[in-house]
Amino acid sequence: MSIEISNESGMDVAEEDLIDIARFVIARMDVHPAAELSMVLVDSGTMADLHMRWMDLPGPTDVMSFPMDELEPGGRPDAPEPGPSMLGDIVLCPSFAAEQADKAGHSLAHELAVLTVHGVLHLLGYDHAEPDEEKEMFGLQNQLLEEWYEELRRAEHEARLAARDQQLLGKAGFFDPTER
């Protein structure tokens, strides 16, 4: 899976976290592992321009998605095995997201994670124009985000245990093959 990210926003953002959550969502949504995704982080002025040009709405927004190929999550049962494809582009505006994060009382990193999941779901054909669609999309968005955080917690826990085990083995005088 190829995920390219370009930070043109002028803000310091944990790009690896954005790639990680995008990769997680794409995998969970059963998208072909060779799929490609492009993420661009822009400033408010650039996002306002895109928002007006593509949505005919004034001012910046938090995230916009530009799908490339028509995909369905899980694929159609009668379709041939899907091949790799370009999902499209997700454009994020970290400065706008920072304002939203402050209002919501959480971190910018969390807000950008939410927006990344939201953007990927849009690329996969989800929408929230109708109440039923909104319920489905936001329910799935929240579920995927919680699963990702749980995976991060599990990995951190395993890393702590491994570090503790390594420290205990060192104190007990066991031979460490990595130390020569």
Side-chain angles (χ1 to χ4, degrees), residues 139-178:
L140 183 56
Q141 176 179 300
N142 293 337
Q143 174 191 338
L144 290 165
L145 195 60
E146 182 54 40
E147 289 174 4
W148 181 66
Y149 278 126
E150 182 58 35
E151 188 172 280
L152 290 179
R153 286 188 290 269
R154 188 174 20 259
E156 288 172 0
H157 178 71
E158 289 172 7
R160 282 193 305 273
L161 290 177
R164 184 200 66 190
D165 291 349
Q166 191 63 32
Q167 184 180 25
L168 290 173
L169 288 172
K171 285 183 180 178
F174 288 101
F175 173 71
D176 182 354
T178 61

Short mmCIF file of all heavy atoms in Angstrom, two decimals, residues 139-178:
data_model
loop_
_atom_site.label_atom_id
_atom_site.label_comp_id
_atom_site.label_asym_id
_atom_site.label_seq_id
_atom_site.Cartn_x
_atom_site.Cartn_y
_atom_site.Cartn_z
N GLY A 139 -20.87 6.32 12.41
CA GLY A 139 -20.74 5.12 13.24
C GLY A 139 -19.50 4.33 12.86
O GLY A 139 -18.72 3.90 13.73
N LEU A 140 -19.30 4.15 11.56
CA LEU A 140 -18.13 3.44 11.07
C LEU A 140 -16.85 4.22 11.38
O LEU A 140 -15.84 3.65 11.80
CB LEU A 140 -18.26 3.20 9.56
CG LEU A 140 -17.15 2.41 8.88
CD1 LEU A 140 -16.95 1.04 9.53
CD2 LEU A 140 -17.47 2.26 7.40
N GLN A 141 -16.90 5.52 11.20
CA GLN A 141 -15.75 6.38 11.50
C GLN A 141 -15.33 6.22 12.96
O GLN A 141 -14.15 6.02 13.26
CB GLN A 141 -16.13 7.83 11.21
CG GLN A 141 -15.09 8.86 11.56
CD GLN A 141 -15.57 10.25 11.21
OE1 GLN A 141 -15.86 10.54 10.05
NE2 GLN A 141 -15.66 11.12 12.20
N ASN A 142 -16.29 6.28 13.88
CA ASN A 142 -15.98 6.15 15.30
C ASN A 142 -15.46 4.76 15.64
O ASN A 142 -14.54 4.61 16.44
CB ASN A 142 -17.22 6.48 16.15
CG ASN A 142 -17.59 7.94 16.05
OD1 ASN A 142 -16.77 8.80 15.72
ND2 ASN A 142 -18.85 8.24 16.31
N GLN A 143 -16.03 3.74 15.03
CA GLN A 143 -15.59 2.36 15.26
C GLN A 143 -14.14 2.18 14.80
O GLN A 143 -13.32 1.61 15.53
CB GLN A 143 -16.50 1.38 14.53
CG GLN A 143 -16.05 -0.06 14.59
CD GLN A 143 -16.84 -0.95 13.64
OE1 GLN A 143 -17.95 -0.63 13.24
NE2 GLN A 143 -16.26 -2.07 13.28
N LEU A 144 -13.83 2.63 13.60
CA LEU A 144 -12.48 2.49 13.06
C LEU A 144 -11.46 3.25 13.91
O LEU A 144 -10.36 2.76 14.17
CB LEU A 144 -12.43 2.96 11.61
CG LEU A 144 -13.15 2.06 10.61
CD1 LEU A 144 -13.36 2.79 9.29
CD2 LEU A 144 -12.39 0.77 10.41
N LEU A 145 -11.84 4.44 14.34
CA LEU A 145 -10.94 5.25 15.15
C LEU A 145 -10.66 4.55 16.49
O LEU A 145 -9.50 4.48 16.92
CB LEU A 145 -11.56 6.63 15.37
CG LEU A 145 -10.67 7.73 15.89
CD1 LEU A 145 -9.50 7.98 14.95
CD2 LEU A 145 -11.47 9.00 16.10
N GLU A 146 -11.68 4.01 17.11
CA GLU A 146 -11.50 3.31 18.38
C GLU A 146 -10.65 2.06 18.20
O GLU A 146 -9.77 1.77 19.02
CB GLU A 146 -12.84 2.95 19.01
CG GLU A 146 -12.72 2.27 20.36
CD GLU A 146 -11.88 3.03 21.38
OE1 GLU A 146 -11.98 4.27 21.45
OE2 GLU A 146 -11.10 2.38 22.10
N GLU A 147 -10.86 1.32 17.12
CA GLU A 147 -10.04 0.13 16.84
C GLU A 147 -8.58 0.51 16.63
O GLU A 147 -7.68 -0.20 17.08
CB GLU A 147 -10.58 -0.62 15.62
CG GLU A 147 -11.90 -1.31 15.86
CD GLU A 147 -12.49 -1.92 14.59
OE1 GLU A 147 -11.84 -1.88 13.52
OE2 GLU A 147 -13.61 -2.44 14.67
N TRP A 148 -8.34 1.62 15.96
CA TRP A 148 -6.97 2.08 15.74
C TRP A 148 -6.31 2.45 17.06
O TRP A 148 -5.16 2.04 17.33
CB TRP A 148 -6.94 3.26 14.78
CG TRP A 148 -5.57 3.79 14.49
CD1 TRP A 148 -4.56 3.14 13.83
CD2 TRP A 148 -5.03 5.06 14.85
NE1 TRP A 148 -3.45 3.95 13.75
CE2 TRP A 148 -3.71 5.13 14.36
CE3 TRP A 148 -5.58 6.17 15.51
CZ2 TRP A 148 -2.91 6.26 14.53
CZ3 TRP A 148 -4.77 7.29 15.69
CH2 TRP A 148 -3.45 7.32 15.19
N TYR A 149 -7.03 3.20 17.91
CA TYR A 149 -6.47 3.56 19.21
C TYR A 149 -6.21 2.31 20.06
O TYR A 149 -5.20 2.24 20.77
CB TYR A 149 -7.40 4.53 19.96
CG TYR A 149 -7.24 5.97 19.53
CD1 TYR A 149 -8.34 6.71 19.12
CD2 TYR A 149 -6.00 6.59 19.56
CE1 TYR A 149 -8.20 8.04 18.74
CE2 TYR A 149 -5.85 7.92 19.17
CZ TYR A 149 -6.96 8.64 18.78
OH TYR A 149 -6.81 9.95 18.40
N GLU A 150 -7.09 1.34 19.98
CA GLU A 150 -6.89 0.09 20.72
C GLU A 150 -5.64 -0.62 20.23
O GLU A 150 -4.85 -1.14 21.02
CB GLU A 150 -8.11 -0.82 20.60
CG GLU A 150 -8.00 -2.11 21.38
CD GLU A 150 -7.78 -1.92 22.86
OE1 GLU A 150 -8.32 -0.96 23.45
OE2 GLU A 150 -7.05 -2.74 23.47
N GLU A 151 -5.43 -0.64 18.92
CA GLU A 151 -4.22 -1.25 18.37
C GLU A 151 -2.97 -0.52 18.84
O GLU A 151 -1.96 -1.14 19.17
CB GLU A 151 -4.29 -1.26 16.84
CG GLU A 151 -3.17 -2.05 16.21
CD GLU A 151 -3.36 -2.22 14.71
OE1 GLU A 151 -4.15 -3.09 14.30
OE2 GLU A 151 -2.69 -1.48 13.97
N LEU A 152 -3.02 0.82 18.90
CA LEU A 152 -1.89 1.59 19.41
C LEU A 152 -1.61 1.27 20.88
O LEU A 152 -0.45 1.10 21.27
CB LEU A 152 -2.14 3.10 19.26
CG LEU A 152 -2.14 3.68 17.86
CD1 LEU A 152 -2.45 5.18 17.91
CD2 LEU A 152 -0.83 3.43 17.16
N ARG A 153 -2.68 1.20 21.68
CA ARG A 153 -2.51 0.87 23.11
C ARG A 153 -1.89 -0.52 23.27
O ARG A 153 -1.01 -0.71 24.10
CB ARG A 153 -3.85 0.95 23.84
CG ARG A 153 -4.34 2.37 24.08
CD ARG A 153 -5.57 2.42 24.98
NE ARG A 153 -6.76 1.90 24.34
CZ ARG A 153 -7.63 2.62 23.65
NH1 ARG A 153 -7.42 3.92 23.48
NH2 ARG A 153 -8.70 2.07 23.13
N ARG A 154 -2.36 -1.47 22.47
CA ARG A 154 -1.84 -2.83 22.55
C ARG A 154 -0.35 -2.85 22.17
O ARG A 154 0.46 -3.49 22.84
CB ARG A 154 -2.64 -3.75 21.64
CG ARG A 154 -2.32 -5.21 21.76
CD ARG A 154 -3.22 -6.13 20.95
NE ARG A 154 -3.95 -5.58 19.84
CZ ARG A 154 -5.26 -5.25 19.87
NH1 ARG A 154 -5.97 -5.42 20.96
NH2 ARG A 154 -5.84 -4.78 18.79
N ALA A 155 0.02 -2.14 21.12
CA ALA A 155 1.43 -2.10 20.70
C ALA A 155 2.31 -1.44 21.76
O ALA A 155 3.42 -1.90 22.04
CB ALA A 155 1.55 -1.36 19.37
N GLU A 156 1.82 -0.35 22.38
CA GLU A 156 2.57 0.31 23.44
C GLU A 156 2.75 -0.62 24.64
O GLU A 156 3.82 -0.68 25.24
CB GLU A 156 1.87 1.60 23.87
CG GLU A 156 1.98 2.71 22.85
CD GLU A 156 1.12 3.92 23.19
OE1 GLU A 156 0.43 3.92 24.25
OE2 GLU A 156 1.14 4.87 22.40
N HIS A 157 1.70 -1.34 24.99
CA HIS A 157 1.77 -2.29 26.11
C HIS A 157 2.80 -3.39 25.82
O HIS A 157 3.62 -3.72 26.67
CB HIS A 157 0.38 -2.88 26.36
CG HIS A 157 0.35 -3.89 27.46
ND1 HIS A 157 0.49 -3.54 28.79
CD2 HIS A 157 0.21 -5.23 27.43
CE1 HIS A 157 0.44 -4.63 29.53
NE2 HIS A 157 0.26 -5.67 28.73
N GLU A 158 2.76 -3.94 24.62
CA GLU A 158 3.72 -4.99 24.25
C GLU A 158 5.15 -4.46 24.25
O GLU A 158 6.07 -5.17 24.66
CB GLU A 158 3.35 -5.57 22.88
CG GLU A 158 2.09 -6.42 22.92
CD GLU A 158 1.61 -6.86 21.55
OE1 GLU A 158 2.31 -6.62 20.54
OE2 GLU A 158 0.51 -7.45 21.48
N ALA A 159 5.34 -3.22 23.82
CA ALA A 159 6.68 -2.63 23.83
C ALA A 159 7.18 -2.45 25.26
O ALA A 159 8.36 -2.70 25.55
CB ALA A 159 6.67 -1.29 23.09
N ARG A 160 6.29 -2.01 26.17
CA ARG A 160 6.68 -1.87 27.58
C ARG A 160 7.06 -3.22 28.18
O ARG A 160 8.04 -3.33 28.91
CB ARG A 160 5.55 -1.23 28.39
CG ARG A 160 5.45 0.27 28.23
CD ARG A 160 4.54 0.89 29.28
NE ARG A 160 3.21 0.30 29.33
CZ ARG A 160 2.17 0.68 28.58
NH1 ARG A 160 2.33 1.65 27.70
NH2 ARG A 160 1.01 0.09 28.69
N LEU A 161 6.28 -4.26 27.87
CA LEU A 161 6.59 -5.59 28.38
C LEU A 161 7.92 -6.09 27.84
O LEU A 161 8.72 -6.67 28.58
CB LEU A 161 5.47 -6.57 28.03
CG LEU A 161 4.14 -6.39 28.76
CD1 LEU A 161 3.12 -7.40 28.23
CD2 LEU A 161 4.31 -6.51 30.25
N ALA A 162 8.17 -5.87 26.57
CA ALA A 162 9.43 -6.31 25.97
C ALA A 162 10.61 -5.58 26.60
O ALA A 162 11.65 -6.19 26.88
CB ALA A 162 9.40 -6.10 24.46
N ALA A 163 10.46 -4.28 26.85
CA ALA A 163 11.53 -3.50 27.48
C ALA A 163 11.78 -3.99 28.90
O ALA A 163 12.93 -4.12 29.33
CB ALA A 163 11.18 -2.02 27.46
N ARG A 164 10.69 -4.26 29.61
CA ARG A 164 10.83 -4.77 30.98
C ARG A 164 11.53 -6.13 30.97
O ARG A 164 12.43 -6.38 31.76
CB ARG A 164 9.46 -4.90 31.64
CG ARG A 164 9.56 -5.35 33.12
CD ARG A 164 8.30 -5.92 33.63
NE ARG A 164 8.06 -7.17 32.89
CZ ARG A 164 6.95 -7.85 32.95
NH1 ARG A 164 5.94 -7.42 33.65
NH2 ARG A 164 6.80 -8.98 32.28
N ASP A 165 11.12 -7.01 30.06
CA ASP A 165 11.75 -8.33 29.97
C ASP A 165 13.23 -8.20 29.65
O ASP A 165 14.06 -8.91 30.23
CB ASP A 165 11.06 -9.19 28.91
CG ASP A 165 9.66 -9.61 29.30
OD1 ASP A 165 9.27 -9.42 30.48
OD2 ASP A 165 8.93 -10.12 28.42
N GLN A 166 13.57 -7.32 28.75
CA GLN A 166 14.97 -7.12 28.38
C GLN A 166 15.76 -6.62 29.57
O GLN A 166 16.89 -7.06 29.82
CB GLN A 166 15.07 -6.13 27.21
CG GLN A 166 16.43 -6.06 26.59
CD GLN A 166 16.85 -7.39 25.96
OE1 GLN A 166 16.04 -8.15 25.46
NE2 GLN A 166 18.14 -7.66 26.02
N GLN A 167 15.16 -5.70 30.33
CA GLN A 167 15.83 -5.16 31.52
C GLN A 167 16.02 -6.25 32.57
O GLN A 167 17.09 -6.37 33.16
CB GLN A 167 15.01 -4.00 32.10
CG GLN A 167 15.68 -3.32 33.25
CD GLN A 167 14.85 -2.18 33.81
OE1 GLN A 167 13.63 -2.17 33.67
NE2 GLN A 167 15.51 -1.23 34.43
N LEU A 168 15.01 -7.07 32.79
CA LEU A 168 15.11 -8.16 33.77
C LEU A 168 16.16 -9.18 33.35
O LEU A 168 16.92 -9.67 34.18
CB LEU A 168 13.75 -8.84 33.95
CG LEU A 168 12.68 -8.02 34.68
CD1 LEU A 168 11.35 -8.74 34.63
CD2 LEU A 168 13.10 -7.72 36.10
N LEU A 169 16.20 -9.51 32.08
CA LEU A 169 17.20 -10.45 31.59
C LEU A 169 18.62 -9.90 31.78
O LEU A 169 19.53 -10.63 32.14
CB LEU A 169 16.96 -10.80 30.12
CG LEU A 169 15.74 -11.68 29.84
CD1 LEU A 169 15.52 -11.78 28.34
CD2 LEU A 169 15.92 -13.06 30.45
N GLY A 170 18.78 -8.61 31.56
CA GLY A 170 20.08 -7.98 31.73
C GLY A 170 20.51 -7.98 33.19
O GLY A 170 21.67 -8.24 33.50
N LYS A 171 19.58 -7.70 34.11
CA LYS A 171 19.89 -7.69 35.54
C LYS A 171 20.21 -9.09 36.05
O LYS A 171 20.99 -9.25 36.97
CB LYS A 171 18.73 -7.11 36.34
CG LYS A 171 18.62 -5.62 36.22
CD LYS A 171 17.48 -5.11 37.09
CE LYS A 171 17.38 -3.60 36.98
NZ LYS A 171 16.26 -3.08 37.76
N ALA A 172 19.57 -10.08 35.47
CA ALA A 172 19.77 -11.45 35.93
C ALA A 172 21.07 -12.04 35.40
O ALA A 172 21.43 -13.15 35.75
CB ALA A 172 18.59 -12.33 35.52
N GLY A 173 21.77 -11.31 34.54
CA GLY A 173 23.04 -11.78 34.03
C GLY A 173 22.93 -12.73 32.86
O GLY A 173 23.89 -13.41 32.53
N PHE A 174 21.78 -12.77 32.23
CA PHE A 174 21.63 -13.63 31.06
C PHE A 174 22.40 -13.04 29.90
O PHE A 174 22.54 -11.84 29.75
CB PHE A 174 20.15 -13.79 30.68
CG PHE A 174 19.38 -14.63 31.63
CD1 PHE A 174 18.56 -14.05 32.58
CD2 PHE A 174 19.48 -16.02 31.60
CE1 PHE A 174 17.85 -14.82 33.46
CE2 PHE A 174 18.77 -16.79 32.47
CZ PHE A 174 17.95 -16.21 33.42
N PHE A 175 22.87 -13.92 29.07
CA PHE A 175 23.62 -13.51 27.88
C PHE A 175 22.68 -12.84 26.88
O PHE A 175 21.62 -13.37 26.57
CB PHE A 175 24.29 -14.73 27.24
CG PHE A 175 24.93 -14.43 25.93
CD1 PHE A 175 26.09 -13.66 25.87
CD2 PHE A 175 24.38 -14.88 24.75
CE1 PHE A 175 26.70 -13.38 24.66
CE2 PHE A 175 24.98 -14.59 23.53
CZ PHE A 175 26.14 -13.84 23.50
N ASP A 176 23.04 -11.68 26.42
CA ASP A 176 22.28 -10.96 25.40
C ASP A 176 23.06 -11.03 24.08
O ASP A 176 24.13 -10.44 23.98
CB ASP A 176 22.07 -9.50 25.80
CG ASP A 176 21.24 -8.72 24.82
OD1 ASP A 176 20.90 -9.26 23.74
OD2 ASP A 176 20.90 -7.55 25.12
N PRO A 177 22.55 -11.79 23.11
CA PRO A 177 23.30 -11.97 21.85
C PRO A 177 23.48 -10.68 21.06
O PRO A 177 24.33 -10.61 20.19
CB PRO A 177 22.46 -12.98 21.07
CG PRO A 177 21.11 -12.92 21.66
CD PRO A 177 21.28 -12.49 23.09
N THR A 178 22.72 -9.63 21.38
CA THR A 178 22.88 -8.38 20.64
C THR A 178 24.03 -7.55 21.20
O THR A 178 24.46 -6.60 20.58
CB THR A 178 21.59 -7.53 20.70
OG1 THR A 178 21.30 -7.21 22.06
CG2 THR A 178 20.43 -8.28 20.07
#
